[in-house]
Amino acid sequence: MIMGSPQMTWYLPFWTLPISTTSRYGSHGAFYRYKNSMGKSLPLFYIYDSYLTSPEAWAHLLTPNGPHSIRNSPYDGVFIALLVEEGHTHDILAAGFDGMYTYFASNGFSFGSSHQNWKAVKNFCDANNLMFIPSVGPGYIDTSIRPWNNHNTRNRVNGKYYETALQAALSVRPEIVSITSFNEWHEGTQIEKAVPKKTPARLYLDYLPHQPSLYLQLTRRWAEHFIKEKEQWLM
């Protein structure tokens, strides 16, 4: 989700995504649009695992002079690539994307998800007219589906991990902050309400001793803080 506005990540082949989504939902009032640097309100798409397709192939679609360009067509949009490795910054630029996001909630898991790298990435994006969207999460634990990955577990510390990530994101003055995630329980990144629950196969993590809505409350508080901060940045 985008801070302040729920967002869906669409797991579809890219070439079907802007066409099918915009054709079917584009006229709906709830369809999210973002005003780009040219003043156009366009659909905003996050492209997960974008690095699996070559920059040259993306450029065919996303650069104005590409042989199959969708720029300035009814299917144009704001396209945000996934940043994992440091070298992906230049690939994303060459591919014609409008920006990059970091997705992973585990600080240090990848170059992109490491808070200490966000300032340098933001500087690169600013210098190249790209959006940088840091992704924050409340914690991370996916050992129920990846038993070997315990080294990437990040304890929630009763909300402190989430707030540290949010502070790191706001410190680089982004236009948007994305949240990973609303309800991905299998990776322990959910922020929706949670109560104690146990099944024969799984113990669901809760937020005790805090209220079930702890992370929704923190999200509201930081969203309000983010809005105030952005007003100060523009002064």
Side-chain angles (χ1 to χ4, degrees), residues 144 196-204:
S144 65
K197 181 178 176 62
K198 184 178 182 180
T199 71
R202 182 180 179 122
L203 172 65
Y204 287 88

Side-chain angles (χ1 to χ4, degrees), residues 25-94:
Y25 303 110
S27 61
H28 197 286
F31 190 66
Y32 183 79
R33 292 178 178 271
Y34 178 83
K35 185 174 287 187
N36 67 7
S37 59
M38 303 298 291
K40 292 183 178 180
S41 293
L42 298 172
L44 188 149
F45 299 100
Y46 290 89
I47 313 299
Y48 186 75
D49 277 357
S50 50
Y51 58 88
L52 296 179
T53 300
S54 71
E56 293 78 15
W58 285 121
H60 286 186
L61 296 170
L62 299 179
T63 57
N65 297 319
H68 305 293
S69 179
I70 59 174
R71 296 304 190 184
N72 299 312
S73 78
Y75 305 110
D76 199 358
V78 178
F79 299 100
I80 309 298
L82 175 60
L83 172 67
V84 179
E85 300 174 3
E86 183 174 7
H88 291 163
T89 55
H90 294 279
D91 292 340
I92 290 167
L93 176 63

Side-chain angles (χ1 to χ4, degrees), residues 92-111:
I92 290 167
L93 176 63
F97 281 100
D98 300 289
M100 58 192 77
Y101 77 115
T102 60
Y103 181 72
F104 298 106
S106 181
N107 181 23
F109 170 69
S110 68
F111 172 85

Side-chain angles (χ1 to χ4, degrees), residues 3-4 136 159-171 177 179 214-230 233:
M3 181 167 286
V136 303
K160 292 181 180 178
Y161 180 88
Y162 192 37
E163 295 197 87
T164 298
L166 285 160
Q167 183 59 62
L170 267 59
S171 72
V177 175
I179 298 172
L214 170 65
Y215 288 94
L216 297 180
Q217 294 170 4
L218 289 174
T219 301
R220 177 187 287 276
R221 184 192 311 164
W222 277 90
E224 292 171 348
H225 178 58
F226 184 31
I227 291 170
K228 292 178 181 178
E229 286 283 296
K230 289 178 71 175
W233 302 340

